[in-house]
Structures are given as structure tokens and as C-alpha cells.
Amino acid sequence: MSIRGVLVPVVTPFKADLSPDRDRFIRHCQWLVSQDCGLAVFGTTSEANSLSAKERKNLLDALVVAGIDPSRMMPGTGCCSIIETVDLTAHAIQHGCGGVLMLPPLYYKKVSEDGLYRYFSEVVQRVGDTRLKIYLYHIPPVAIVGITPKLVERLLKAYPSAIAGMKDSSGDWNNTKPFLDAFAKDAFDVFVGSESFLLANMRNGGAGTISATANVNPRAIHELYEKCSGVCVKRRRNQKALGTSASTPADLEALQARLNVVREVFSNKKFPSMIAALKQAIAIYTNDQEWTRVRPPLIELTTEQAKLLATELRAIGFRWQQ
Amino acid sequence: MSIRGVLVPVVTPFKADLSPDRDRFIRHCQWLVSQDCGLAVFGTTSEANSLSAKERKNLLDALVVAGIDPSRMMPGTGCCSIIETVDLTAHAIQHGCGGVLMLPPLYYKKVSEDGLYRYFSEVVQRVGDTRLKIYLYHIPPVAIVGITPKLVERLLKAYPSAIAGMKDSSGDWNNTKPFLDAFAKDAFDVFVGSESFLLANMRNGGAGTISATANVNPRAIHELYEKCSGVCVKRRRNQKALGTSASTPADLEALQARLNVVREVFSNKKFPSMIAALKQAIAIYTNDQEWTRVRPPLIELTTEQAKLLATELRAIGFRWQQ
């Protein structure tokens, strides 16, 4: 029953006055769900930390009202303040969200493992809901404060039901692997923060990926997930009569390589951020310039950068799936 | 009319349930004001980022109700979200606070100067109050995102009234000096984030210090400020008839050296944080253990560390001023 597969840290569209554009947000989420993706709304790529707590809650309410299944949602709820983290987490759990993605408190640096343990303990106890599923969010290039195996071990021991997994956005497979080795057997679900590690993750007992580029390339990423996941193996067995053949390792590696080529385009250091580049791509392919806006301190792509992005996507034969 | 002198990033006391202890907070603020210090409530030392926005507003309301002069307050109001920064800033300005101390949005790293300029511009325009006085908060060891001279230059040009100064907590005099050289002449008030740079700051046109240790050593820090500030020079001239003699450079350096000795005790790397050590010292000298609590992810001093602190303060002859 736990969330697995490809989750999208959904980009948040803004109106001219920089308020969240609820309608475009809902439409984008509906499209992502139609591509078999879950919704990790309010992540780093969502500019969640540039939103107020109230804006996050209003947007989540709007998704639920729009009829999107909350069990496929994993909203980001980690703030620096226990009070605000508990508030957002309780709100998400009350909506029936499949889980929450929780940043560590990131203001103070070089905090102790003990301090982080106490922080997450307080959150679990204050939320006090057996439905709570926390996915710890490790993103050291941004949060600086990180999640260590030792911390996971202590938390899992104390709260085996509430501590459901993690997202590793270290960008370092040597960081991800020890978590899989130590905790995957305990139903601790490890998501990689980039689809470039998806195949490796699935081969080592991982649960999927929560990746920024799934905002524009959801179907292809999900295809790799499906082809290499156990779920898919089981389904294929049932479909033997239909003549579906299992993918070979080489097939999977070819799919992985194609995903990497797309991601590479968005990772171009010439762009002010991957977030702005993703929004620009959505604007290009939906022919809707409203999508380009970001909230300060982020900035949009220049006209020249937008042209470069369009050119490079054409050059790699990128196709927008409807 | 602008705030100058010694401002205290007031530590926030917590009750057993970790809620802010309003009464102790008010009493501590009243004592600091009686020592001629201003109140930079909700700073890094205040664990402000571990508080919710609502808790900050309630505490500020309580100080005003308690009769403390808001013109001597400079609350921290900088959040990652423009919406929340504007909300807290407007609240402080409506109370008549002398200024606000504003962190840059610190979630995204390596953001452009353009993005930060847009962020602060949005805040100034949205607050839309001629009383607004922003002090930019540069604390790179914690926020990572910092304030550059070029950014100050652009903001000062666009908003000469609203951009009132800065706090430099880089801990690097070579970073502070260029700000003084470039902007002190334009009534841009530079506060150093440690009293260890107070004398140097005042000799170079600075406005004072906003320092954590002023929570426990306010009178001595203020004495150095007063003796080396222009205000003091003027006063001394008027008081010639009273026989008051001006301090010599050697007198000032001796005062500075004594302040440094006290600060050194609290900077001991054996303590989990200077914040916890300051709270422990208040607990010792007010004989009130309630003061020791910190919110996770910070942790309190161990019994052994608390003893070490007490011993070291005695060893340097530290005296708590009433």
C-alpha cells in the first residue's frame, strides 16, 4: 500500500502577481497522474520554501477538491520549526496523503544527530497519527543539514511505522547504496532524487525516484521504473499468454541512457536553475508563457537561454507526451 | 533617530512543553533595556527559525503590551517566502519597531544577485510603508546565502530610505570594512555580529553591534560602545565642566580585550552551541533551571558541560550585572 514508483516534485505555476496559479497547478497534476506518476508536491523543485504555509495548505486542499487521489501524494512538509512542520504534516495526513516528504530543520548547521533525532521524535509524537508515513529528505547541496544512516537506524527503531523511507538527493550513489543495504529489508523505501540513478536503485531494492525532470518527462521515466520493478515482473508473468517479453538488462540500460540525455539538457549550467528551465520547457510545449514565472530569489531564463533550451530539446529528439 | 549601539538577539526561553515562555522573555527583555541595550528579538540566537510565524508575532505583541519601547526593537523577519517575510515585517512596522533585521531567502544556494535584488524589492514594495527600515542580515556560516556590497549598492540606490543598514556576522573584519568604506557615509548603519569587532567598527564609522553574548554581558559591551561612539564624544564635550575625561585608545583596547575574554568562554567548541551555553549561563546566574531549554535540533549542555561553563566564568572573574 505504500507509495512506490515515479513521484514528481511538481513545479508550482505563478500568476503575474506571483500568487500560486491554482488552475494550472491542478491541470499539471492531473496530467502527471495520467502518466502514472505520484505527486511529491511542495518539494525543492516546487519552490515550496518560497511559499507560505497557508499557500501550501490551500493548494493541497485544491488538489483534493479537484478529485486527485491523496494516496498518490507525498507533500513536502519539513520546516525549520517543529510547530510548522507538525501543522503541515497533520494537514496532509488528515487529507489521507500517502506520506510526507520531510526536510530536516536546516537553519542551524553542524547540529548533532541527537538534536535531529529529538526533532523528528517531537514531530512524530505531536502529529500522533498512526497513518503517518514520513519520508526523510536528504538534499545536502541545498539543505546542508543531512540525514545519516545512524539517524535512520535510531528513528526506525523508535518509530518503525512512521519512518517509511527517504529521498536521497545527494547525487551520489555511494551515499544511497548504504541506506539500501541497511534498511531496504525493513520496508524502508529509498527513492533516488534523480532518475539517473533509477535503474541502480531498482536493482538494489529501491522504491523508485522523486525527480524534478519527471515534470516534463514522466512517461519515459515511468517506463523504466515499470520495466525494472518487481511489480512489473509480476504483471508480466500474468501476461505471458499475451506474449509480453521481459526486458533484458541491455534494454533497461538503453532506457536509462535515454533518460540521462534528457536530464543533461535541463542540468545545463548556463540556465539560472533547473527549476526555471523546467518551467520554460512546460511553457514551450504547452504554448503557455504563463508557466515561465518563478518566485524570487529564483529568476527566469533569458530569451536567449529559452531559445537554447528549445534548440537542445529538439536536437535530442525530445517529445512531449500528451 | 535610527537605532544604534548594542542590540541583543534575545534568547527565547521555553516551557517544559517547548512553548515560548512569555513571562521570562519579557523579564529578560526588560533587564536588557535597563542595561541600555536595544532588542534584536528573533535573531539566530533567539532560535527564531525554530519558532512559527504566529509565535513570533505573539511574543512581539506581548513585549509591546508589557510597555517596552518598540523604537528600540529590531525583530528578525526574514523568511524564505516573500509572503511570510512581508507578513512579519508589516506586523513589526505597524508596532512602530525601529527596524527589522532581514535574512536573505536562504533555501536555494548559489542564487544570483539579481534574484536577491528582486526578492528584497518585492518585500519593500509589498510592505509599502515609509517607516520601513530594513537591516540586511549577512551570516554566511548559517544562511550560506549572503549579502554582497554590489547588492547593497543596488538596493540603496532604489530604496535609500528603506535600506537602513546591515548586520555582518561573517566574523571577518575584511568583509565588514568594505561595507563601511562604501556605505557608512550614506547613513547605512553597519552593525558587527560580534562585540569582538566593536571597537574596530566604531573607529570606522559603524553603528554598533548585535551580539549574542550581550544576552549575558550587556553592560560591559555597552560601556565600550558608549566610550568609543560619536554620541559619547559629543556628550563628553558638553560635560567638560564636570571633569569627565575622554578615554584613551589604550583604555578602549583594554575594554575590548576584556569583552573578548568573556566571549571566548561562550565560544568553546566543547559546548553544543553558543545559544545553549548562553541559556545555561542565564540559568546559573538567575538560579532558574527553566532557562536552559532549547528547541530541537539544538540540544542543552550536559551536566558536565554546564559545570565547565560555570568554572570558566568564575575563572575569568565574570560578574553578572543586575
Side-chain angles (χ1 to χ4, degrees), chain B residues 232-245:
Chain B
C232 179
V233 171
K234 278 183 215 152
R235 195 190 297 165
R236 262 184 268 114
R237 278 178 194 154
N238 296 337
Q239 292 180 340
K240 251 185 187 165
L242 300 170
T244 316
S245 64

Side-chain angles (χ1 to χ4, degrees), chain B residues 86-99:
Chain B
V86 168
D87 178 44
L88 289 178
T89 303
H91 177 257
I93 299 304
Q94 280 152 22
H95 266 312
C97 288

Side-chain angles (χ1 to χ4, degrees), chain A residues 17 44 107-109 142, chain B residues 44 47 107-109 126 142:
Chain A
D17 66 357
T44 299
Y107 186 68
Y108 297 105
K109 307 302 186 279
V142 178
Chain B
T44 299
E47 300 171 74
Y107 186 68
Y108 297 106
K109 307 302 186 279
R126 286 174 187 234
V142 179

Side-chain angles (χ1 to χ4, degrees), chain A residues 300-321:
Chain A
E300 290 84 12
L301 271 63
T302 62
T303 311
E304 209 161 77
Q305 289 164 347
K307 276 184 194 159
L308 175 67
L309 175 63
T311 305
E312 297 202 338
L313 288 171
R314 268 197 308 274
I316 62 163
F318 177 73
R319 282 178 55 198
W320 186 264
Q321 307 279 349

Side-chain angles (χ1 to χ4, degrees), chain A:
Chain A
M1 288 296 290
S2 62
I3 297 189
R4 297 177 68 87
V6 180
L7 278 82
V8 191
V10 185
V11 285
T12 310
F14 296 113
K15 298 184 188 173
D17 66 357
L18 293 182
S19 65
D21 187 331
R22 205 180 50 185
D23 295 343
R24 280 185 175 77
F25 183 64
I26 292 171
R27 282 204 301 276
H28 187 54
C29 286
Q30 286 168 331
W31 174 64
L32 293 168
V33 169
S34 78
Q35 308 292 308
D36 292 320
C37 289
L39 303 174
V41 291
F42 317 139
T44 299
T45 305
S46 317
E47 299 172 74
N49 293 70
S50 301
L51 300 174
S52 70
K54 196 175 166 194
E55 285 173 328
R56 295 198 209 191
K57 290 205 267 187
N58 288 348
L59 284 174
L60 186 58
D61 292 344
L63 292 184
V64 174
V65 168
I68 301 178
D69 179 6
S71 75
R72 294 292 292 154
M73 298 182 198
M74 188 194 287
T77 61
C79 304
C80 293
S81 158
I82 285 172
I83 307 297
E84 294 181 333
T85 301
V86 168
D87 178 45
L88 290 178
T89 302
H91 177 257
I93 299 304
Q94 281 151 21
H95 267 310
C97 288
V100 295
L101 187 55
M102 199 174 288
L103 280 166
L106 54 83
Y107 186 68
Y108 297 105
K109 307 302 186 279
K110 299 179 190 165
V111 291
S112 64
E113 181 197 297
D114 236 27
L116 290 174
Y117 176 79
R118 282 198 224 174
Y119 176 92
F120 287 112
S121 291
E122 276 289 328
V123 171
V124 172
Q125 289 171 30
R126 287 176 186 233
V127 172
D129 192 314
T130 54
R131 296 170 297 175
L132 176 60
K133 296 277 173 208
I134 294 177
Y135 295 82
L136 302 164
Y137 188 5
H138 181 62
I139 181 167
V142 178
I144 314 297
V145 177
I147 308 294
T148 59
K150 185 81 191 147
L151 176 65
V152 170
E153 188 186 326
R154 287 182 66 183
L155 286 169
L156 262 182
K157 197 170 173 184
Y159 310 104
S161 159
I163 304 299
M166 75 181 293
K167 173 183 180 185
D168 183 5
S169 294
S170 65
D172 177 6
W173 177 249
N174 292 324
N175 187 71
T176 309
K177 185 75 166 36
F179 286 100
L180 288 162
D181 293 345
F183 310 116
K185 63 181 182 330
D186 302 322
F188 180 83
D189 285 340
V190 176
F191 291 86
V192 281
S194 161
E195 73 276 21
S196 51
F197 301 108
L198 179 55
L199 179 54
N201 195 38
M202 299 314 295
R203 281 176 170 166
N204 287 275
T209 183
I210 305 175
S211 172
T213 40
N215 273 286
V216 297
N217 199 24
R219 184 173 293 181
I221 301 175
H222 183 263
E223 185 186 357
L224 174 58
Y225 168 75
E226 197 175 36
K227 290 211 165 134
C228 60
S229 75
V231 175
C232 179
V233 172
K234 279 183 218 153
R235 194 189 300 163
R236 259 186 270 115
R237 280 178 192 154
N238 297 336
Q239 292 181 342
K240 251 185 185 167
L242 300 170
T244 313
S245 63
S247 301
T248 65
D251 292 341
L252 299 177
E253 277 148 27
L255 282 175
Q256 178 68 73
R258 282 210 288 281
L259 296 185
N260 295 354
V261 169
V262 176
R263 188 174 178 94
E264 200 58 39
V265 171
F266 288 96
S267 307
N268 194 328
K269 295 287 177 209
K270 284 182 187 161
F271 303 142
S273 66
M274 185 188 272
I275 298 167
L278 291 167
K279 285 184 155 182
Q280 179 65 47
I282 298 174
I284 292 170
Y285 289 98
T286 62
N287 196 23
D288 177 3
Q289 282 303 302
E290 296 289 310
W291 259 107
T292 59
R293 275 185 213 105
V294 291
R295 269 197 183 171
L298 300 188
I299 54 173
E300 290 84 12
L301 271 63
T302 62
T303 311
E304 209 161 77
Q305 289 164 347
K307 276 184 194 159
L308 175 67
L309 175 63
T311 305
E312 297 202 338
L313 288 171
R314 268 197 308 274
I316 62 163
F318 177 73
R319 282 178 55 198
W320 186 264
Q321 307 279 349
Q322 286 306 328

Side-chain angles (χ1 to χ4, degrees), chain B residues 147-319:
Chain B
I147 308 293
T148 58
K150 186 78 190 152
L151 176 64
V152 170
E153 188 185 324
R154 287 181 66 184
L155 286 169
L156 262 183
K157 197 171 173 184
Y159 309 104
S161 159
I163 304 299
M166 76 182 292
K167 173 182 181 185
D168 182 5
S169 294
S170 65
D172 177 5
W173 177 249
N174 291 324
N175 186 70
T176 310
K177 185 75 165 40
F179 285 101
L180 288 162
D181 293 346
F183 310 117
K185 64 180 183 328
D186 302 322
F188 180 83
D189 286 341
V190 176
F191 292 86
V192 281
S194 161
E195 74 276 23
S196 52
F197 302 108
L198 179 54
L199 179 54
N201 195 36
M202 298 314 295
R203 281 176 170 164
N204 286 275
T209 185
I210 305 175
S211 172
T213 39
N215 274 287
V216 295
N217 199 25
R219 185 174 292 179
I221 301 174
H222 183 263
E223 185 186 358
L224 174 58
Y225 168 75
E226 197 175 34
K227 289 210 164 134
C228 62
S229 74
V231 174
C232 179
V233 171
K234 278 183 215 152
R235 195 190 297 165
R236 262 184 268 114
R237 278 178 194 154
N238 296 337
Q239 292 180 340
K240 251 185 187 165
L242 300 170
T244 316
S245 64
S247 301
T248 66
D251 292 340
L252 299 177
E253 279 147 26
L255 283 174
Q256 178 70 71
R258 283 209 288 280
L259 296 185
N260 295 354
V261 169
V262 176
R263 188 174 180 94
E264 201 59 37
V265 171
F266 288 96
S267 307
N268 193 330
K269 296 285 177 209
K270 285 182 188 162
F271 303 141
S273 65
M274 185 188 272
I275 298 166
L278 290 167
K279 285 184 156 182
Q280 179 63 48
I282 297 174
I284 293 170
Y285 289 99
T286 62
N287 195 24
D288 178 3
Q289 283 302 306
E290 295 289 310
W291 259 107
T292 58
R293 276 185 210 104
V294 290
R295 269 196 182 171
L298 299 189
I299 55 173
E300 290 84 12
L301 271 63
T302 61
T303 310
E304 208 161 80
Q305 289 164 345
K307 277 184 195 161
L308 175 67
L309 175 64
T311 306
E312 297 203 338
L313 287 172
R314 269 198 306 274
I316 63 163
F318 177 73
R319 283 178 54 198

